[in-house]
Amino acid sequence: MADVRDMYMIHTVFRREFGLMPRLVRGVADGDTARSAIVGAHLDLVCRFLHVHHEGEDVILWPLLLERGGEATRSVVPTMQDQHASIEAALGQVTDLLSAWRLTAREGEALADACETLLAALTAHMTLEEEQILPLAEKLVTDAEWRQLGAHGRALFTKQEFPVCFGMAMYEGDREVVKSVLADAPLPVRLLAPRLAPRAFAAHSRRVHGTATPPRAASLT
């Protein structure tokens, strides 16, 4: 059956990167378009990461749970779906404000506030998912079906973006979980990702956060 530990790893990425986002945006001086371009590109990437992740759950995970879980899933999956809709609306507000801010570095406070709204909705959703959905998935979803979630995400990032995103997950991820995630990947990916992804994230993080070792998710709660 499904090994759901990788979901906790992805949630850690979102808690850390979205948790750091409001201060990143507020730290950009008004009119500093060179810096807003860097932070804006990072925010765009993390927003797309979240959207793709939730899209995979909508398409793959919720139907499986509703089909197999009876009352246990009928009572919680609709809540998950409603939360996804609320998060998507908050995400849309962020991306709408982001477009202009990346180019002008103006009105960053509105974008930072939108990031905080998104973070609050996302945090509540992930907590409920960890408490109620993941224990059900371990019992109702096969390993092969669970791995479709990861395959869905990988297919929607460029060759340049994937190492950065995987490095985001590896930064606080358990080595055994990382190894399990890569188990069905092509051999070159299994061999190269554990070495290249942390380097890609470190370089990316230095540009965005000013350090290769940004604060960990637990320190932001």
Side-chain angles (χ1 to χ4, degrees):
M1 302 305 290
D3 179 353
V4 302
R5 292 177 298 168
D6 60 325
M7 186 70 79
Y8 293 97
M9 187 168 70
I10 298 302
H11 284 184
T12 297
V13 172
F14 295 145
R15 287 187 169 102
R16 181 184 68 245
E17 298 301 335
F18 282 110
L20 291 170
M21 207 66 73
R23 73 182 72 174
L24 271 177
V25 173
R26 291 189 174 108
V28 176
D30 202 36
D32 185 354
T33 55
R35 180 63 181 158
S36 68
I38 292 171
V39 174
H42 172 65
L43 178 51
D44 174 71
L45 178 62
V46 178
C47 284
R48 286 188 288 117
F49 193 169
L50 174 61
H51 173 76
V52 167
H53 173 70
H54 279 179
E55 183 180 70
E57 292 179 335
D58 291 337
V59 173
I60 298 167
L61 184 57
W62 305 149
L64 289 172
L65 293 179
L66 287 172
E67 177 187 342
R68 299 170 185 173
E71 183 58 32
T73 55
R74 285 196 297 271
S75 64
V76 67
V77 169
T79 301
M80 295 287 103
Q81 293 169 319
D82 288 345
Q83 288 181 338
H84 271 199
S86 297
I87 290 167
E88 193 64 22
L91 194 58
Q93 180 67 20
V94 168
T95 54
D96 286 346
L97 292 168
L98 176 59
S99 298
W101 182 80
R102 288 176 71 171
L103 297 174
T104 66
R106 305 289 183 189
E107 300 185 17
E109 189 62 32
L111 177 59
D113 289 346
C115 288
E116 288 178 339
T117 298
L118 172 60
L119 175 63
L122 180 59
T123 299
H125 172 71
M126 292 189 297
T127 299
L128 184 60
E129 187 169 76
E130 290 165 358
E131 290 173 350
Q132 297 194 34
I133 291 294
L134 296 188
L136 290 168
E138 287 180 311
K139 300 174 183 177
L140 300 172
V141 180
T142 69
D143 179 68
E145 291 164 341
W146 186 260
R147 288 182 180 277
Q148 292 176 22
L149 292 169
H152 173 85
R154 289 194 298 270
L156 296 177
F157 289 104
T158 69
K159 291 182 179 179
Q160 292 74 34
E161 291 170 341
F162 175 74
V164 175
C165 290
F166 199 70
M168 285 184 192
M170 287 187 66
Y171 179 59
E172 297 187 66
D174 181 272
R175 289 185 179 182
E176 289 303 313
V177 178
V178 171
K179 184 177 180 181
S180 175
V181 169
L182 291 172
D184 62 343
L187 180 60
V189 176
R190 293 203 306 272
L191 294 176
L192 294 175
R195 288 184 290 169
L196 298 183
R199 297 177 193 172
F201 175 65
H204 176 84
S205 185
R206 278 191 290 269
R207 290 192 301 274
V208 173
H209 299 294
T211 174
T213 55
R216 292 177 175 256
S219 71
L220 302 175
T221 57

